Amino acid sequence: MNKIEHIGVAVRSLSLSIPLFEKLLGTPCYKTEFVLSEKVNTAFFKTGESKIELLESMEPDGVISNFVEKNGEGMHHIAFEVDDLQAEIERLKAEGFKFINEEPKRGADNKMVCFLHPKTTNGMLVEICQQVLPAQ
Ligand code: ZN
């Protein structure tokens, strides 16, 4: 895996959390994007080589709203960038890791993404992602 691409943070409200993270990181939010596949609104900040991704649920029973309901706001997942997502999926499967979605899906910020099951990663939700061309 190349680097930590971003850290995902679950929040209740982007409109409250964007100014908070702008103050915290000392850098403006450079992008907001609705991700249809997850029904979440996202906001991105650059921090050196990596990014912070804020996630706000757009549906009451979505993954992010369930997470915030259970755990409160906070760190949700860590995303590693890879050059060849399919090869990395095969490698991790051969090592015995389980996936939430083995079939890569479209994530935010021009990425194809897969999530590993936290049961096989010491409770840490891990995303692996590969840069792709912008959606039409
Ligand atoms: Zn992510």
Side-chain angles (χ1 to χ4, degrees), residues 39-59:
K39 301 243 181 15
V40 291
N41 265 326
T42 62
F44 285 89
F45 303 84
K46 287 198 172 88
T47 53
E49 281 238 310
S50 303
K51 297 166 189 162
I52 298 290
E53 173 190 46
L54 302 184
L55 302 146
E56 172 200 50
S57 186
M58 286 288 96
E59 58 182 355

Side-chain angles (χ1 to χ4, degrees), residues 6 53 77 127:
H6 64 268
E53 173 190 46
H77 67 269
E127 171 187 332

Side-chain angles (χ1 to χ4, degrees), residues 1 12 16 36 74 77 81 90 110 118 120 129 135:
M1 299 191 192
R12 285 185 205 281
L16 293 176
L36 188 61
H77 67 269
E81 182 187 78
E90 295 310 321
N110 305 317
T120 61
C129 58

Side-chain angles (χ1 to χ4, degrees), residues 2-39:
N2 295 342
K3 64 173 184 186
I4 294 176
E5 213 283 331
H6 64 268
I7 290 174
V9 179
V11 302
R12 285 185 205 281
S13 157
L14 280 190
S15 58
L16 293 176
S17 295
I18 287 173
L20 175 74
F21 275 79
E22 286 179 336
K23 275 189 261 179
L24 174 69
L25 302 170
T27 185
C29 169
Y30 72 91
K31 180 180 200 176
T32 57
E33 184 181 349
F34 176 64
V35 183
L36 188 61
S37 64
E38 305 284 349
K39 301 243 181 15

Side-chain angles (χ1 to χ4, degrees), residues 18-127:
I18 287 173
L20 175 74
F21 275 79
E22 286 179 336
K23 275 189 261 179
L24 174 69
L25 302 170
T27 185
C29 169
Y30 72 91
K31 180 180 200 176
T32 57
E33 184 181 349
F34 176 64
V35 183
L36 188 61
S37 64
E38 305 284 349
K39 301 243 181 15
V40 291
N41 265 326
T42 62
F44 285 89
F45 303 84
K46 287 198 172 88
T47 53
E49 281 238 310
S50 303
K51 297 166 189 162
I52 298 290
E53 173 190 46
L54 302 184
L55 302 146
E56 172 200 50
S57 186
M58 286 288 96
E59 58 182 355
D61 205 32
V63 179
I64 294 300
S65 37
N66 289 342
F67 176 90
V68 170
E69 219 43 62
K70 201 171 152 204
N71 308 291
E73 297 176 293
M75 211 186 111
H76 179 258
H77 67 269
I78 186 160
F80 296 97
E81 182 187 78
V82 300
D83 293 325
D84 185 340
L85 189 54
Q86 210 54 53
E88 200 63 16
I89 292 165
E90 295 310 321
R91 184 185 74 80
L92 291 165
K93 272 164 68 179
E95 296 283 6
F97 291 97
K98 302 273 182 256
F99 285 80
I100 293 174
N101 67 304
E102 242 176 58
E103 203 56 51
K105 56 186 174 183
R106 188 100 204 177
D109 208 22
N110 305 317
K111 302 280 189 303
M112 292 304 288
V113 305
C114 278
F115 285 90
L116 278 83
H117 201 291
K119 275 191 184 136
T120 61
T121 54
N122 280 175
M124 183 168 77
L125 181 56
V126 173
E127 171 187 332

